[in-house]
Amino acid sequence: DPDLRYRQRYVDMIVNPEVRDTFIKRSKIISEMRRYLDGLGFLEVETPVLNTIHGGANARHFVTHHNTLDIDMYLRIATELHLKRLVIGGLEGVYEIGRIFRNEGMDATHNPEFTMMELYQAYTDYHGMMDLFEDMMRTVGRKVLGGKAVVKFGEGQIDMETRVAHIRVREVVKRESGVDCDSVPDADAANKLAGERG
């Protein structure tokens, strides 16, 4: 009974050792991510969970009330804005691993309360961030798996040892749909094309 398994995870862990193994690996992954980033000189920080404005991502927020201040506040939907301010303030590499709250759908693969890691650094661009991310995933994967960073996923596998192909979104759209984004004049035309192509 999947519903019972998700409501009573402790029983699920007792009956299904692979579930317990997933919990253990998750904890190790987070520890290794910290170790990796700390080793590069990044500083782990904590930013506010309660905010007077909602922002940093495009998601619906949870509202709560601060009794002492007698104001409504929002649970954070991202750590982005606070982390970027810290970089502007002179901290050249920062990250946070923390709880995020997005008041949106919910199912077995989507929880409105989840843990997310965001990091920002000065003096780089998206190429530098892609390289950093790939190296972190490869390094963490090797440490947690005790060998090569290759994980079975469904019927296939995810090989973090192999460099990820870098391809522009417009190239993928053109390859998969035959539509050249540069030839689409506006959002209405894009929506029409999307509807026509399912």
Side-chain angles (χ1 to χ4, degrees), residues 127-145:
H127 293 288
M129 295 301 285
M130 287 190 296
D131 291 343
L132 173 76
F133 178 76
E134 281 187 48
D135 188 58
M136 179 172 61
M137 291 299 97
R138 188 174 303 111
T139 302
V140 168
R142 288 174 182 161
K143 295 274 188 179
V144 172
L145 298 170

